[in-house]
Amino acid sequence: MPAHNTEIADALDQVADLLELERANPFRVRAYRNAARAIRGLGSDVASLLLRGEDLPAIRGIGKDLAGKIKELASTEHLPLLDELRTHVPPVALELLRLPNLGPKRVKMLCDKLDIHSVEQLHRALLDSRVRELPGFSTGIEKKLLQAIEERPKGPARFKIAAVEGLVAPLLDHLRKAPGVDKVSVAGSYRRCQETVGDIDIVATAEKGPPVTRWFTRYEEVARIAAAGDTRATVVLRSGLQVDLRIVPAKSYGAALHYFTGSKAHNIAIRRMGQERGLKINEYGVFRGRRRIAGETEAEIYRAVDLPFIPPELRENRGEIEAAAADRLPKLVELADLRGDLHAHSTATDGHNSIEEMAAAASAAGLAYIAITEHSRHLAMAHGLDPARLRRQAAEIERFNGGRRDITVLRGIEVDILEDGALDLPDSALGELDLVVAAVHTRFNLSRDKQTERILRAMEHPHFTVLAHPTGRLIGEREPYDVDMPRLIEAARERGCFLELNAHPDRLDLSEVHCRMAKEAGVLLSIASDAHRTGDFAYLRFGVGQARRGWLAPQDVLNARSLRELRPLLRRTMA
Ligand code: DGT
Ligand code: CA
Ligand code: CA
């Protein structure tokens, strides 16, 4: 069984954790961590490459020995070194490592001296004051550990971007009114448009910090103040979301924004480029010796290392620095580039608004076309359409188009892909539509081979246009089904069909990595809201954020085409 990139990367990360517990050479630990990160960010499936007899893509910092290990992992899903290392440490050690203030040394101490085998046992030991007695521990650490353990099970560890958006906007409004504050900006994973965020990071400028941190901690939504000082503060909001605030002088704004936007891997790479030029880069500025040579804007930071500005969504050290150096950064797609939306529902199935209402809302959102794509009959729960109802709806849409100039409604369907790869409606019905969006809604648990075959068969269908939410995942709720995405992308390229980037914030499906893979294969993506009510067209901006993380430019996006350019692309040329 070949392994996927994420499995390979997880295994390499585990090796790093275990080596760290053994207090192995830090360079060796770092080599595994870097390799894990590089493989996680790769656009192509390492195992399929190797199977095809191709070599590993050149990844910086992966030497011969490590490359051998990766090959072994990719082909056998197994790494003897990992098994070996696991026998050296109790399983709980890895879990403990993730708690605050616990490095390899203290974890070893807990396991050896207190015979801890579970986090629950550690909790009891903390409550019995047994931990603070150990060398290297203190009541301060005891308190932090207790807090971390007691807060652990509550709610999801990470927040979905849509939930965070609603919390951040009013907080920023509050901060902009703080005494003496000038600029306020969100940084961190939120600014990089990651699909989920761990916490919110905010950078503000002010001459004097203390009045600003005081103002911040008095925000009405604050449930708990975790830390508050003169230039920084951390609070937990009532929703459970943590917010870190940093206050810097105006001359450090760009440097601080850059530092706290991350990602950490990107920062480290930029800092290293600075070092090569004899510069020191930190959150206060860029320094040559003790002289500050840049720091007020992010553009200055990049200029100091001879790079153009790199958009936040790309800052993951996945090749963006090399691309910037070669002046080959993509011009990323923007919300305003979207001309239409190819996936929306109405009251005919499980939507909440009529076709007229949906069209009016889309027009108000600046779109020139939408496709109405109801569920098909197999999805009885959603009151899916049969051929007769579909035909009636198509006639209704034609009447609507006759009376409107501002927006065109395309006749579509979100047809179920049945277990054997057949589509849920007959060719005669599908052939009358402008496009056919097809989706897997059942049997998520098929084997990788069966699931892949199922979808490939559906794609061979002459009327197949777009594969909706291609992996079926629901963030934090349902794992993606197991499918060979490189093969689906290849098939889409051969057959001239498209993949959807479903913009619903619970889905954001395709992932950024697969978006980039599709782009590299020349397969266009449909960034689609999957709107079930008029307000849902606003989801498109989350899709655009994800698309930007996947390096997509307007020309990579199907619905960045005008209707006139779109029509011939929808008319498939299968013999
Ligand atoms: P999150 O909160 O888990 O969704 O992800 P981030 O990226 O927002 O991470 P966070 O909140 O821990 O830190 C914010 C940024 O601060 C991070 O993206 C980069 C920067 N940063 C944090 N720790 C380090 C570090 O040890 N070294 C460097 N160079 N940068 C760091
Ligand atoms: Ca963060
Ligand atoms: Ca943070």
Side-chain angles (χ1 to χ4, degrees), residues 178-196:
V181 102
D182 183 19
K183 295 194 175 73
V184 177
S185 178
V186 184
S189 52
Y190 184 77
R191 183 169 179 236
R192 301 197 313 279
C193 291
Q194 227 170 269
E195 58 199 30
T196 64

Side-chain angles (χ1 to χ4, degrees), residues 97 107 127 134 203 278 337 351 364 379 393 398 414 427 455 569:
L97 263 186
V107 167
L127 292 175
L134 294 175
V203 176
D337 293 321
L379 223 60
Q393 186 180 67
E398 262 167 56
E414 180 181 4
D427 276 5
I455 298 173
L569 292 172

Side-chain angles (χ1 to χ4, degrees), residues 201-213:
D201 307 277
I202 298 177
V203 176
T205 62
E207 298 275 320
K208 293 198 190 76
V212 183
T213 54

Side-chain angles (χ1 to χ4, degrees), residues 5-6 37-44 158 161 189-197 263 312-318 320 332 470-471 473 475 480 485 489 499-502 507-521 523 525 527 542-553 556:
N5 287 0
T6 43
R37 208 197 54 243
I39 286 183
R40 220 169 249 124
L42 272 187
S44 39
R158 298 183 66 81
I161 191 159
S189 52
Y190 184 77
R191 183 169 179 236
R192 301 197 313 279
C193 291
Q194 227 170 269
E195 58 199 30
T196 64
V197 306
S263 66
E313 296 91 336
L314 297 184
R315 300 182 195 170
E316 299 290 343
N317 198 19
R318 291 183 193 156
E320 76 279 9
L332 298 179
T471 73
R473 67 125 174 214
I475 297 171
M485 192 54 68
I489 289 172
L499 300 186
E500 181 177 274
L501 195 188
N502 190 296
R507 292 189 181 271
L508 290 170
D509 183 8
L510 277 186
S511 72
E512 58 202 59
V513 170
H514 288 147
C515 281
R516 196 166 164 193
M517 208 186 270
K519 172 198 171 98
E520 275 160 21
V523 171
L525 277 296
I527 302 178
F542 302 123
V544 169
Q546 176 97 330
R548 292 168 66 86
R549 290 181 59 82
W551 290 54
L552 301 191
D556 304 316

Side-chain angles (χ1 to χ4, degrees), residues 64-81:
K64 251 212 181 113
D65 176 40
L66 237 172
K69 297 259 180 351
I70 293 169
K71 278 189 188 164
E72 194 172 14
L73 256 169
S75 55
T76 64
E77 238 186 349
H78 200 75
L79 190 60
L81 169 68

Side-chain angles (χ1 to χ4, degrees), residues 214-400:
R214 267 200 301 280
W215 179 269
F216 171 61
T217 54
R218 284 181 196 154
Y219 180 52
E220 58 180 8
E221 286 295 312
V222 169
R224 191 164 64 79
I225 302 170
D230 290 349
T231 58
R232 62 199 301 174
T234 298
V235 301
V236 179
L237 302 181
R238 277 193 269 188
S239 53
L241 182 67
Q242 179 178 306
V243 185
D244 289 339
L245 172 68
R246 277 295 280 256
I247 300 145
V248 296
K251 60 181 189 291
S252 294
Y253 179 63
L257 189 56
H258 183 261
Y259 181 90
F260 290 106
T261 295
S263 66
K264 191 168 159 180
H266 176 90
N267 286 355
I268 289 169
I270 294 291
R271 200 162 52 202
R272 198 169 301 136
M273 288 183 73
Q275 281 159 1
E276 285 162 10
R277 289 161 177 76
L279 302 173
K280 196 175 127 200
I281 302 178
N282 58 30
E283 60 264 54
Y284 302 104
V286 180
F287 300 87
R288 186 179 297 286
R290 288 170 63 185
R291 196 166 65 87
R292 175 205 306 270
I293 64 159
E296 197 163 346
T297 67
E298 281 192 320
E300 278 180 22
I301 310 294
Y302 285 110
R303 214 176 299 134
V305 291
D306 305 306
L307 291 178
F309 180 85
I310 299 179
E313 296 91 336
L314 297 184
R315 300 182 195 170
E316 299 290 343
N317 198 19
R318 291 183 193 156
E320 76 279 9
I321 293 172
E322 294 78 359
D327 209 14
R328 279 211 205 96
L329 283 176
K331 185 200 159 290
L332 298 179
V333 63
E334 292 172 19
L335 185 59
D337 293 321
L338 300 190
R339 314 286 283 270
D341 186 342
L342 298 176
H343 187 161
H345 299 263
S346 81
T347 45
T349 56
D350 58 350
H352 296 265
N353 293 97
S354 67
I355 293 176
E356 288 79 1
E357 288 164 346
M358 294 301 278
S363 174
L367 302 179
Y369 56 87
I370 56 167
I372 293 293
T373 53
E374 309 285 11
H375 291 291
S376 61
R377 59 191 171 186
H378 186 68
L379 223 60
M381 211 171 55
H383 197 43
L385 300 188
D386 59 20
R389 286 175 64 211
L390 180 60
R391 199 163 301 124
R392 278 204 297 281
Q393 186 180 67
E396 189 191 329
I397 288 173
E398 262 167 56
R399 273 196 304 281
F400 172 87

